[in-house]
Amino acid sequence: MGATSKSSEVLIVGAGPVGLFAAVRLGQAGIQTTFIEKESEISQLPRACMYYPQVQFVLQDAGIWTNIVEGGGFRTTGLDIRLPPVSDDQGRKKPGELVANFPGEPNFDPQVDAYGSPVQPPSMSMLDMPQPLLRKVLLEKAIETGNVESKLWIQSGETDDWFFRALKDTSSPSFANYVHGLQNVWPTHVRQMAASLPAATSAA
């Protein structure tokens, strides 16, 4: 891998939904950001696939709700969340205890509202979207800001020092403390680069 094209103010480790959403918001704010991910592509494992109302509001506030819908997300309403099924006195299974309930929204039309209508508080719906699709949308929107750079597939044998050049001030005591504090769990080549930094200072 080559060096990053410009220095970054923020480094995000891990291109999961949280890391990618942070990259979107930082990029929208004009903050130069680099995120790194050990995988070469987005995992296709479904993982989380339903998101609570608060997540929907955050996505809308970021101005990407339309992209979420166009990318395969849709809303459902009227949902019960229960504990695992239990056996009744006749050896049959019955639904587990109800622990949460999202009542149906008044006038919710799944043929219309689930695909495209803005999320308006108070929304009691769930966003249904496999995590790979959500990550794909977030990745695209982060890159579109022009302030976010990605580094996928960070290999254990990486020898380029782009990691340090991506940061603005590697001579700061706080950065040196951070590097020296983690060097025991980092690959050998990273520890070697860390050794070239100013010695870590003790916290006052």
Side-chain angles (χ1 to χ4, degrees), residues 14-21 24 35-48 51 59 64 68 71 129-143 152:
V18 175
L20 288 173
F21 184 75
V24 170
F35 69 81
I36 59 176
E37 167 61 47
K38 67 178 181 178
E39 303 296 337
S40 59
E41 59 185 16
I42 293 175
S43 170
Q44 294 306 302
L45 295 176
R47 297 179 178 171
Y51 306 90
L59 293 171
I64 59 175
I68 293 296
M129 191 175 198
Q131 190 178 110
L133 295 182
L134 176 62
R135 292 175 68 187
K136 180 176 183 292
V137 171
L138 294 175
L139 175 61
E140 291 172 351
K141 300 308 293 184
I143 299 300
L152 299 179

CSV table of all heavy atoms in Angstrom, one decimal, residues 14-21 24 35-48 51 59 64 68 71 129-143 152:
chain,number,residue,atom,x,y,z
A,14,GLY,N,-11.5,0.2,11.9
A,14,GLY,CA,-12.6,-0.7,11.8
A,14,GLY,C,-13.7,0.0,10.9
A,14,GLY,O,-14.2,1.0,11.3
A,15,ALA,N,-14.1,-0.7,9.8
A,15,ALA,CA,-15.1,-0.2,8.9
A,15,ALA,C,-16.5,-0.9,9.1
A,15,ALA,O,-17.1,-1.3,8.2
A,15,ALA,CB,-14.7,-0.3,7.5
A,16,GLY,N,-16.9,-1.0,10.4
A,16,GLY,CA,-18.2,-1.4,10.7
A,16,GLY,C,-19.2,-0.3,10.6
A,16,GLY,O,-18.8,0.8,10.3
A,17,PRO,N,-20.5,-0.5,10.9
A,17,PRO,CA,-21.5,0.5,10.8
A,17,PRO,C,-21.1,1.8,11.6
A,17,PRO,O,-21.3,2.9,11.1
A,17,PRO,CB,-22.8,-0.1,11.2
A,17,PRO,CG,-22.5,-1.6,11.0
A,17,PRO,CD,-21.1,-1.8,11.3
A,18,VAL,N,-20.7,1.6,12.8
A,18,VAL,CA,-20.4,2.7,13.7
A,18,VAL,C,-19.2,3.5,13.2
A,18,VAL,O,-19.2,4.8,13.1
A,18,VAL,CB,-20.1,2.3,15.1
A,18,VAL,CG1,-19.7,3.5,16.0
A,18,VAL,CG2,-21.4,1.6,15.7
A,19,GLY,N,-18.1,2.8,12.8
A,19,GLY,CA,-16.9,3.5,12.2
A,19,GLY,C,-17.2,4.2,10.9
A,19,GLY,O,-16.8,5.4,10.7
A,20,LEU,N,-18.0,3.6,10.1
A,20,LEU,CA,-18.4,4.2,8.8
A,20,LEU,C,-19.3,5.4,9.0
A,20,LEU,O,-19.1,6.4,8.3
A,20,LEU,CB,-19.0,3.2,7.8
A,20,LEU,CG,-18.1,2.1,7.3
A,20,LEU,CD1,-18.8,1.1,6.5
A,20,LEU,CD2,-17.0,2.8,6.4
A,21,PHE,N,-20.2,5.3,9.9
A,21,PHE,CA,-21.1,6.4,10.2
A,21,PHE,C,-20.3,7.6,10.7
A,21,PHE,O,-20.6,8.8,10.4
A,21,PHE,CB,-22.3,6.1,11.1
A,21,PHE,CG,-23.2,7.2,11.3
A,21,PHE,CD1,-24.1,7.5,10.3
A,21,PHE,CD2,-23.3,7.9,12.5
A,21,PHE,CE1,-25.1,8.6,10.4
A,21,PHE,CE2,-24.1,9.0,12.6
A,21,PHE,CZ,-25.0,9.3,11.6
A,24,VAL,N,-18.7,9.3,7.9
A,24,VAL,CA,-19.7,10.1,7.2
A,24,VAL,C,-19.8,11.5,7.8
A,24,VAL,O,-19.7,12.5,7.2
A,24,VAL,CB,-21.0,9.4,7.1
A,24,VAL,CG1,-22.1,10.4,6.6
A,24,VAL,CG2,-21.0,8.2,6.2
A,35,PHE,N,-10.0,5.9,7.5
A,35,PHE,CA,-10.4,4.7,8.3
A,35,PHE,C,-9.7,3.5,7.7
A,35,PHE,O,-9.4,3.4,6.5
A,35,PHE,CB,-11.9,4.5,8.3
A,35,PHE,CG,-12.5,4.1,7.0
A,35,PHE,CD1,-12.5,2.8,6.5
A,35,PHE,CD2,-13.2,5.0,6.2
A,35,PHE,CE1,-13.1,2.4,5.3
A,35,PHE,CE2,-13.8,4.7,5.0
A,35,PHE,CZ,-13.7,3.4,4.6
A,36,ILE,N,-9.3,2.5,8.6
A,36,ILE,CA,-8.6,1.3,8.2
A,36,ILE,C,-9.5,0.1,8.5
A,36,ILE,O,-10.2,0.1,9.5
A,36,ILE,CB,-7.2,1.2,8.8
A,36,ILE,CG1,-7.3,1.2,10.3
A,36,ILE,CG2,-6.4,2.4,8.3
A,36,ILE,CD1,-6.0,1.0,11.0
A,37,GLU,N,-9.4,-0.9,7.7
A,37,GLU,CA,-10.1,-2.2,7.9
A,37,GLU,C,-9.3,-3.3,7.5
A,37,GLU,O,-8.6,-3.3,6.5
A,37,GLU,CB,-11.4,-2.1,7.1
A,37,GLU,CG,-12.2,-3.4,7.0
A,37,GLU,CD,-12.6,-4.0,8.3
A,37,GLU,OE1,-13.2,-3.2,9.1
A,37,GLU,OE2,-12.4,-5.2,8.5
A,38,LYS,N,-9.2,-4.4,8.3
A,38,LYS,CA,-8.4,-5.5,8.0
A,38,LYS,C,-8.9,-6.4,6.9
A,38,LYS,O,-8.1,-7.1,6.2
A,38,LYS,CB,-8.2,-6.4,9.3
A,38,LYS,CG,-9.5,-7.1,9.7
A,38,LYS,CD,-9.2,-8.0,10.9
A,38,LYS,CE,-10.4,-8.7,11.4
A,38,LYS,NZ,-10.2,-9.6,12.5
A,39,GLU,N,-10.2,-6.3,6.6
A,39,GLU,CA,-10.8,-7.1,5.5
A,39,GLU,C,-10.6,-6.3,4.2
A,39,GLU,O,-10.6,-5.1,4.1
A,39,GLU,CB,-12.2,-7.4,5.7
A,39,GLU,CG,-12.5,-8.1,7.0
A,39,GLU,CD,-11.9,-9.5,7.1
A,39,GLU,OE1,-11.6,-10.1,6.0
A,39,GLU,OE2,-11.6,-10.0,8.2
A,40,SER,N,-10.5,-7.1,3.1
A,40,SER,CA,-10.4,-6.5,1.8
A,40,SER,C,-11.7,-6.0,1.2
A,40,SER,O,-11.7,-5.3,0.2
A,40,SER,CB,-9.7,-7.4,0.8
A,40,SER,OG,-10.5,-8.6,0.6
A,41,GLU,N,-12.8,-6.5,1.7
A,41,GLU,CA,-14.1,-6.1,1.2
A,41,GLU,C,-15.1,-6.2,2.3
A,41,GLU,O,-14.8,-6.7,3.4
A,41,GLU,CB,-14.5,-6.9,0.0
A,41,GLU,CG,-14.6,-8.4,0.4
A,41,GLU,CD,-14.9,-9.3,-0.8
A,41,GLU,OE1,-14.7,-8.8,-2.0
A,41,GLU,OE2,-15.3,-10.4,-0.7
A,42,ILE,N,-16.3,-5.6,2.1
A,42,ILE,CA,-17.3,-5.7,3.1
A,42,ILE,C,-17.8,-7.1,3.3
A,42,ILE,O,-18.1,-7.8,2.4
A,42,ILE,CB,-18.5,-4.8,2.7
A,42,ILE,CG1,-18.1,-3.3,2.7
A,42,ILE,CG2,-19.7,-5.0,3.7
A,42,ILE,CD1,-19.1,-2.4,2.3
A,43,SER,N,-17.9,-7.6,4.6
A,43,SER,CA,-18.3,-8.9,4.9
A,43,SER,C,-19.8,-9.0,4.4
A,43,SER,O,-20.6,-8.1,4.6
A,43,SER,CB,-18.2,-9.2,6.4
A,43,SER,OG,-18.9,-10.4,6.7
A,44,GLN,N,-20.1,-10.2,3.9
A,44,GLN,CA,-21.5,-10.4,3.4
A,44,GLN,C,-22.3,-11.2,4.5
A,44,GLN,O,-23.5,-11.6,4.2
A,44,GLN,CB,-21.5,-11.2,2.1
A,44,GLN,CG,-20.9,-10.4,0.9
A,44,GLN,CD,-21.6,-9.1,0.8
A,44,GLN,OE1,-22.8,-9.0,0.6
A,44,GLN,NE2,-20.8,-8.0,0.8
A,45,LEU,N,-21.8,-11.4,5.7
A,45,LEU,CA,-22.6,-12.0,6.7
A,45,LEU,C,-23.7,-11.0,7.1
A,45,LEU,O,-23.4,-9.8,7.3
A,45,LEU,CB,-21.7,-12.3,7.9
A,45,LEU,CG,-20.6,-13.4,7.7
A,45,LEU,CD1,-19.7,-13.5,8.9
A,45,LEU,CD2,-21.2,-14.7,7.4
A,46,PRO,N,-24.9,-11.5,7.4
A,46,PRO,CA,-26.0,-10.6,7.6
A,46,PRO,C,-25.8,-9.8,8.9
A,46,PRO,O,-26.1,-8.6,9.0
A,46,PRO,CB,-27.2,-11.5,7.7
A,46,PRO,CG,-26.6,-12.9,8.0
A,46,PRO,CD,-25.3,-12.9,7.3
A,47,ARG,N,-25.4,-10.4,10.0
A,47,ARG,CA,-25.2,-9.8,11.3
A,47,ARG,C,-26.4,-9.0,11.7
A,47,ARG,O,-27.5,-9.5,11.5
A,47,ARG,CB,-23.9,-8.9,11.3
A,47,ARG,CG,-22.7,-9.7,11.0
A,47,ARG,CD,-21.4,-8.9,11.0
A,47,ARG,NE,-20.2,-9.8,10.8
A,47,ARG,CZ,-19.0,-9.3,10.5
A,47,ARG,NH1,-18.8,-8.0,10.4
A,47,ARG,NH2,-18.0,-10.2,10.4
A,48,ALA,N,-26.3,-7.8,12.2
A,48,ALA,CA,-27.5,-7.0,12.6
A,48,ALA,C,-28.3,-6.7,11.4
A,48,ALA,O,-27.7,-6.4,10.3
A,48,ALA,CB,-27.1,-5.8,13.3
A,51,TYR,N,-32.9,-2.1,13.1
A,51,TYR,CA,-32.4,-1.0,13.8
A,51,TYR,C,-33.5,-0.2,14.4
A,51,TYR,O,-34.5,0.1,13.8
A,51,TYR,CB,-31.5,-0.1,12.9
A,51,TYR,CG,-30.4,-0.9,12.2
A,51,TYR,CD1,-30.7,-1.6,11.0
A,51,TYR,CD2,-29.2,-1.1,12.8
A,51,TYR,CE1,-29.7,-2.3,10.3
A,51,TYR,CE2,-28.2,-1.9,12.2
A,51,TYR,CZ,-28.5,-2.5,10.9
A,51,TYR,OH,-27.5,-3.3,10.3
A,59,LEU,N,-29.8,8.7,11.1
A,59,LEU,CA,-29.6,8.6,9.6
A,59,LEU,C,-30.2,9.7,8.9
A,59,LEU,O,-29.7,10.3,7.9
A,59,LEU,CB,-30.0,7.2,9.1
A,59,LEU,CG,-29.3,6.0,9.6
A,59,LEU,CD1,-30.0,4.7,9.2
A,59,LEU,CD2,-27.8,6.0,9.1
A,64,ILE,N,-29.0,11.1,4.9
A,64,ILE,CA,-28.8,10.0,4.1
A,64,ILE,C,-29.9,9.0,4.1
A,64,ILE,O,-29.8,7.8,3.7
A,64,ILE,CB,-27.4,9.3,4.4
A,64,ILE,CG1,-27.4,8.8,5.9
A,64,ILE,CG2,-26.3,10.2,4.2
A,64,ILE,CD1,-26.2,8.0,6.2
A,68,ILE,N,-30.5,5.3,2.2
A,68,ILE,CA,-30.7,4.0,2.9
A,68,ILE,C,-31.9,3.3,2.3
A,68,ILE,O,-31.8,2.1,2.0
A,68,ILE,CB,-31.1,4.3,4.4
A,68,ILE,CG1,-29.8,4.9,5.2
A,68,ILE,CG2,-31.6,3.1,5.1
A,68,ILE,CD1,-28.7,3.9,5.3
A,71,GLY,N,-30.9,2.0,-1.0
A,71,GLY,CA,-29.9,0.9,-0.9
A,71,GLY,C,-30.5,-0.4,-0.4
A,71,GLY,O,-29.7,-1.3,-0.2
A,129,MET,N,-32.6,-3.9,7.4
A,129,MET,CA,-31.6,-3.7,6.4
A,129,MET,C,-30.4,-4.6,6.8
A,129,MET,O,-29.8,-4.4,7.8
A,129,MET,CB,-31.1,-2.3,6.2
A,129,MET,CG,-30.2,-2.0,5.0
A,129,MET,SD,-29.9,-0.2,4.9
A,129,MET,CE,-29.3,-0.1,3.2
A,130,PRO,N,-30.0,-5.6,6.0
A,130,PRO,CA,-28.9,-6.4,6.3
A,130,PRO,C,-27.6,-5.5,6.4
A,130,PRO,O,-27.4,-4.5,5.7
A,130,PRO,CB,-28.7,-7.3,5.1
A,130,PRO,CG,-30.1,-7.4,4.5
A,130,PRO,CD,-30.7,-6.0,4.7
A,131,GLN,N,-26.8,-5.8,7.4
A,131,GLN,CA,-25.6,-5.0,7.7
A,131,GLN,C,-24.7,-4.7,6.5
A,131,GLN,O,-24.2,-3.6,6.3
A,131,GLN,CB,-24.8,-5.5,8.8
A,131,GLN,CG,-23.7,-4.6,9.3
A,131,GLN,CD,-23.0,-5.1,10.5
A,131,GLN,OE1,-21.8,-5.4,10.4
A,131,GLN,NE2,-23.6,-5.2,11.6
A,132,PRO,N,-24.5,-5.7,5.6
A,132,PRO,CA,-23.7,-5.4,4.4
A,132,PRO,C,-24.2,-4.3,3.5
A,132,PRO,O,-23.4,-3.5,3.0
A,132,PRO,CB,-23.6,-6.8,3.7
A,132,PRO,CG,-23.9,-7.8,4.7
A,132,PRO,CD,-24.8,-7.2,5.7
A,133,LEU,N,-25.5,-4.3,3.4
A,133,LEU,CA,-26.1,-3.2,2.6
A,133,LEU,C,-26.0,-1.8,3.3
A,133,LEU,O,-25.7,-0.8,2.6
A,133,LEU,CB,-27.6,-3.5,2.3
A,133,LEU,CG,-27.9,-4.7,1.5
A,133,LEU,CD1,-29.4,-4.8,1.3
A,133,LEU,CD2,-27.2,-4.6,0.1
A,134,LEU,N,-26.2,-1.8,4.6
A,134,LEU,CA,-26.0,-0.6,5.4
A,134,LEU,C,-24.6,-0.1,5.3
A,134,LEU,O,-24.3,1.1,5.0
A,134,LEU,CB,-26.4,-0.8,6.8
A,134,LEU,CG,-26.2,0.4,7.8
A,134,LEU,CD1,-27.0,1.6,7.3
A,134,LEU,CD2,-26.5,0.0,9.2
A,135,ARG,N,-23.6,-1.0,5.4
A,135,ARG,CA,-22.2,-0.6,5.3
A,135,ARG,C,-21.8,-0.1,4.0
A,135,ARG,O,-21.1,0.9,3.8
A,135,ARG,CB,-21.3,-1.8,5.7
A,135,ARG,CG,-21.4,-2.2,7.2
A,135,ARG,CD,-20.6,-3.4,7.5
A,135,ARG,NE,-19.1,-3.2,7.3
A,135,ARG,CZ,-18.2,-4.1,7.4
A,135,ARG,NH1,-18.6,-5.4,7.6
A,135,ARG,NH2,-16.9,-3.8,7.3
A,136,LYS,N,-22.4,-0.7,2.9
A,136,LYS,CA,-22.1,-0.2,1.5
A,136,LYS,C,-22.6,1.2,1.4
A,136,LYS,O,-21.9,2.0,0.8
A,136,LYS,CB,-22.9,-1.2,0.6
A,136,LYS,CG,-22.6,-0.8,-0.9
A,136,LYS,CD,-23.3,-1.8,-1.8
A,136,LYS,CE,-23.0,-1.5,-3.3
A,136,LYS,NZ,-23.7,-0.3,-3.7
A,137,VAL,N,-23.8,1.5,1.8
A,137,VAL,CA,-24.3,2.9,1.7
A,137,VAL,C,-23.4,3.9,2.5
A,137,VAL,O,-23.1,4.9,2.0
A,137,VAL,CB,-25.8,3.0,2.2
A,137,VAL,CG1,-26.2,4.4,2.3
A,137,VAL,CG2,-26.7,2.2,1.3
A,138,LEU,N,-23.1,3.5,3.7
A,138,LEU,CA,-22.3,4.4,4.5
A,138,LEU,C,-20.9,4.6,3.9
A,138,LEU,O,-20.4,5.7,4.0
A,138,LEU,CB,-22.2,3.8,6.0
A,138,LEU,CG,-23.4,3.8,6.8
A,138,LEU,CD1,-23.2,3.1,8.1
A,138,LEU,CD2,-24.0,5.2,7.0
A,139,LEU,N,-20.3,3.6,3.4
A,139,LEU,CA,-19.0,3.7,2.8
A,139,LEU,C,-19.1,4.7,1.6
A,139,LEU,O,-18.2,5.5,1.4
A,139,LEU,CB,-18.5,2.3,2.3
A,139,LEU,CG,-17.2,2.3,1.5
A,139,LEU,CD1,-16.1,2.8,2.3
A,139,LEU,CD2,-16.9,0.8,1.0
A,140,GLU,N,-20.1,4.5,0.7
A,140,GLU,CA,-20.2,5.4,-0.4
A,140,GLU,C,-20.4,6.8,0.0
A,140,GLU,O,-19.8,7.7,-0.6
A,140,GLU,CB,-21.4,4.9,-1.3
A,140,GLU,CG,-21.2,3.6,-2.0
A,140,GLU,CD,-22.4,3.0,-2.7
A,140,GLU,OE1,-23.5,3.6,-2.5
A,140,GLU,OE2,-22.3,2.0,-3.4
A,141,LYS,N,-21.3,7.1,1.0
A,141,LYS,CA,-21.5,8.4,1.4
A,141,LYS,C,-20.3,9.1,2.1
A,141,LYS,O,-20.1,10.3,2.0
A,141,LYS,CB,-22.7,8.5,2.4
A,141,LYS,CG,-24.0,8.0,1.8
A,141,LYS,CD,-24.3,8.6,0.4
A,141,LYS,CE,-24.7,10.1,0.5
A,141,LYS,NZ,-25.0,10.7,-0.8
A,142,ALA,N,-19.5,8.3,2.8
A,142,ALA,CA,-18.3,8.8,3.4
A,142,ALA,C,-17.3,9.2,2.4
A,142,ALA,O,-16.8,10.3,2.4
A,142,ALA,CB,-17.7,7.7,4.3
A,143,ILE,N,-17.1,8.4,1.4
A,143,ILE,CA,-16.1,8.7,0.3
A,143,ILE,C,-16.6,10.0,-0.5
A,143,ILE,O,-15.8,10.8,-0.9
A,143,ILE,CB,-15.9,7.5,-0.6
A,143,ILE,CG1,-15.4,6.3,0.1
A,143,ILE,CG2,-15.0,7.9,-1.8
A,143,ILE,CD1,-14.0,6.6,0.8
A,152,LEU,N,-8.4,-0.4,3.1
A,152,LEU,CA,-9.0,-1.8,3.3
A,152,LEU,C,-7.8,-2.8,3.3
A,152,LEU,O,-6.8,-2.6,2.6
A,152,LEU,CB,-10.0,-2.2,2.3
A,152,LEU,CG,-11.3,-1.3,2.3
A,152,LEU,CD1,-12.2,-1.8,1.2
A,152,LEU,CD2,-12.0,-1.2,3.6
